[in-house]
């Protein structure tokens, strides 16, 4: 299995006794917003309801001069997320994201992986080499012969379902989409988008589709 390496050349922050006691998120706050007092603010516990407001005062900069600065708004937002992460179990992603500091220098570039990852990109700034490496990793995991697979890295499960169902519809234009009633909502959304006939299959208590012949 191949490996990937990324070498970065940037000057780290000087380490002081105070910085050694700071968390990675506190260091990030200090580096991103040096002009804002670096104190962790108390955040009210999340309220009930279908939408949990973050209780942040957000406004367009310049529209109201007596409001908080943009840096203050972002610091409050960062502190709010830092507090809420303590109560987040992970839906649909987990909170094991300590590699953000390693990837942070890449945010200064506008990367665009448009088009087929196996073809030459029309944009100079892209990460298609990493995208193909991800596909190669899964191909080896599933023991697929080289040059016998194609794919791309999506933004999430919904896009993956939309693209997979689109390929199925193109191969079988008159086909019927059969899906479990417990399937992700995007499956039935795709059926409506692509104007496909679909059938919802009932499931048993353990989640298996009940096949009736």
């Amino acid at each position: 299995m191949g490996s990937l390496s990324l070498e970065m050349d940037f000057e780290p922050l000087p380490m002081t006794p105070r910085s050694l006691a700071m968390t990675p998120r506190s260091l990030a706050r200090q580096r991103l917003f040096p002009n804002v007092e670096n104190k962790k603010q108390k955040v009210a516990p999340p309220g009930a309801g279908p939408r949990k407001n973050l209780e942040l005062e957000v406004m367009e900069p310049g529209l109201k001069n007596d409001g908080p600065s943009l840096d203050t708004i972002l610091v409050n937002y960062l502190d709010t997320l830092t507090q809420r992460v303590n109560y987040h179990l992970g839906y649909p992603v987990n909170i094991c994201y300590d590699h953000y500091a390693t990837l942070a220098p890449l945010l200064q570039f506008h990367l665009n992986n448009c088009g087929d990852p196996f073809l030459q990109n029309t944009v100079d700034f892209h990460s298609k080499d990493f995208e193909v490496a991800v596909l190669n990793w899964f191909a080896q995991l599933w023991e697929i012969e080289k040059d016998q697979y194609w794919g791309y890295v999506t933004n999430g499960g919904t896009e993956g379902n939309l693209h997979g169902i689109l390929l199925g519809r193109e191969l079988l234009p008159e086909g019927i989409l059969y899906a479990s009633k417990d399937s992700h909502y995007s499956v039935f959304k795709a059926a409506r988008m692509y104007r496909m006939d679909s059938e919802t299959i009932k499931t048993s208590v353990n989640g298996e589709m009940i096949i009736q012949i």
Side-chain angles (χ1 to χ4, degrees), residues 38-165:
N38 192 40
K39 290 184 179 180
K40 187 173 182 179
Q41 304 181 14
K42 293 183 179 179
V43 180
R51 182 179 184 275
K52 297 178 181 178
N53 294 324
L54 298 182
E55 300 179 1
L56 299 175
E57 184 179 1
V58 181
M59 63 187 64
E60 184 71 19
L63 294 182
K64 187 177 181 182
N65 294 329
D66 57 348
S69 67
L70 180 60
D71 284 355
T72 300
I73 293 174
L74 294 179
V75 166
N76 289 338
Y77 182 45
L78 181 61
D79 287 339
T80 300
L81 296 179
T82 302
Q83 174 69 17
R84 291 204 169 187
V85 98
N86 298 321
Y87 307 96
H88 184 69
L89 295 178
Y91 175 85
V93 295
N94 61 42
I95 58 175
C96 298
Y97 201 68
D98 291 336
H99 56 280
Y100 68 89
T102 303
L103 300 177
L106 298 175
L107 296 178
Q108 64 185 306
F109 304 107
H110 189 139
L111 303 178
N112 189 338
N113 283 21
C114 60
D116 191 325
F118 291 94
L119 299 179
Q120 184 175 359
N121 203 10
T122 58
V123 183
D124 289 336
F125 294 98
H126 62 85
S127 61
K128 284 189 173 182
D129 295 332
F130 294 89
E131 186 174 11
V132 172
V134 171
L135 298 173
N136 292 340
W137 189 91
F138 280 102
Q140 293 181 30
L141 177 66
W142 295 327
E143 299 181 352
I144 305 176
E145 295 294 331
K146 193 171 182 61
D147 301 326
Q148 296 298 314
Y149 59 88
W150 180 90
Y152 74 102
V153 178
T154 71
N155 289 318
T158 294
E159 184 182 349
N161 289 337
L162 291 174
H163 186 72
I165 293 173

Side-chain angles (χ1 to χ4, degrees), residues 7-29:
E7 297 181 0
M8 297 180 298
D9 184 15
F10 65 96
E11 183 178 355
L13 289 174
M15 300 304 292
T16 64
R18 180 169 179 249
S19 65
L20 289 174
M22 298 175 70
T23 64
R25 289 187 175 88
S26 298
L27 289 172
R29 184 191 302 111

